[in-house]
Amino acid sequence: MKHIENRKAEYVNRKLIVVEEVLERNNAGDITKFYGFIGRADGDVDQEGTPINKDTLKFIRKGYRVPRSLMELRKNLLTTNTLTIECLEEVNATVGNSSSFPFNLSCSVNNTTGIVTVTATVKNNVTGTGITNFDFYVTLTSEETNVKIGYVKCTVEFDYD
């Protein structure tokens, strides 16, 4: 997997037990029961690993992550904008039909980094007023298995003024 990293440390998974209270000793005086806390004792850490949390587990389960699915475009001020999708495997990506939109959509894939970049650029001679939201889908297909791994709904907030 491209974006999930293991922790690299001098003593991976070594634990430190801090004795809080001794409950029992044997005849030789050795501790046989105690209350304590378990902490990390990894030594020198060369690289922190990817934290295991609900977002990381969702990323692993789905096979992709969308940090932000909304793009803003302003006809006269912000004429190009992008959004990215991170993928755990090599994919092909396509953008759904957007020919009637007042902007062009393009999609590029960098399978080395696992990043799909969707770019929106305002078309010439666009007319209209106000702000309108346009929804479109990006289809992610596994390059290895040719199975669709996701349909990502994205939105462009377009300001005609």
Side-chain angles (χ1 to χ4, degrees):
M1 292 189 253
K2 295 180 182 179
H3 302 287
I4 307 298
E5 297 291 333
N6 285 327
R7 181 181 175 104
K8 293 180 182 163
E10 185 177 12
Y11 307 104
V12 177
N13 297 327
R14 184 172 74 169
K15 304 295 183 208
L16 172 68
I17 300 173
V18 179
V19 176
E20 183 179 75
E21 179 183 348
V22 175
L23 299 176
E24 188 177 292
R25 293 180 183 267
N26 63 15
N27 291 338
D30 297 327
I31 298 172
T32 57
K33 285 186 183 177
F34 64 91
Y35 285 119
F37 296 100
I38 298 175
R40 287 189 106 138
D42 291 340
D44 293 332
V45 177
D46 298 323
Q47 173 185 314
E48 287 294 337
T50 301
I52 299 300
N53 55 35
K54 71 175 188 164
D55 294 329
T56 306
L57 293 175
K58 185 176 173 184
F59 184 28
I60 294 168
R61 183 180 58 81
K62 290 177 75 174
Y64 63 91
R65 171 178 28 217
V66 186
R68 179 181 55 91
S69 63
L70 173 70
M71 276 191 273
E72 296 178 353
L73 286 178
R74 307 265 181 267
K75 180 179 133 184
N76 297 317
L77 297 174
L78 183 60
T79 59
T80 300
N81 204 344
T82 62
L83 62 84
T84 59
I85 302 167
E86 294 177 70
C87 299
L88 286 178
E89 63 179 289
E90 293 184 358
V91 297
N92 293 314
T94 56
V95 177
N97 187 8
S98 61
S99 59
S100 62
F101 294 171
F103 49 86
N104 294 314
L105 291 170
S106 63
C107 187
S108 64
V109 179
N110 183 333
N111 279 321
T112 303
T113 61
I115 301 291
V116 175
T117 303
V118 180
T119 303
T121 306
V122 175
K123 291 179 180 176
N124 292 330
N125 303 322
V126 172
T127 59
T129 59
I131 297 174
T132 304
N133 286 345
F134 295 90
D135 293 331
F136 65 93
Y137 288 86
V138 177
T139 304
L140 304 173
T141 305
S142 170
E143 212 172 74
E144 181 181 343
T145 63
N146 206 31
V147 172
K148 290 179 177 45
I149 64 167
Y151 294 97
V152 181
K153 181 181 179 183
C154 304
T155 303
V156 173
E157 181 183 276
F158 190 83
D159 187 345
Y160 286 92
D161 298 321

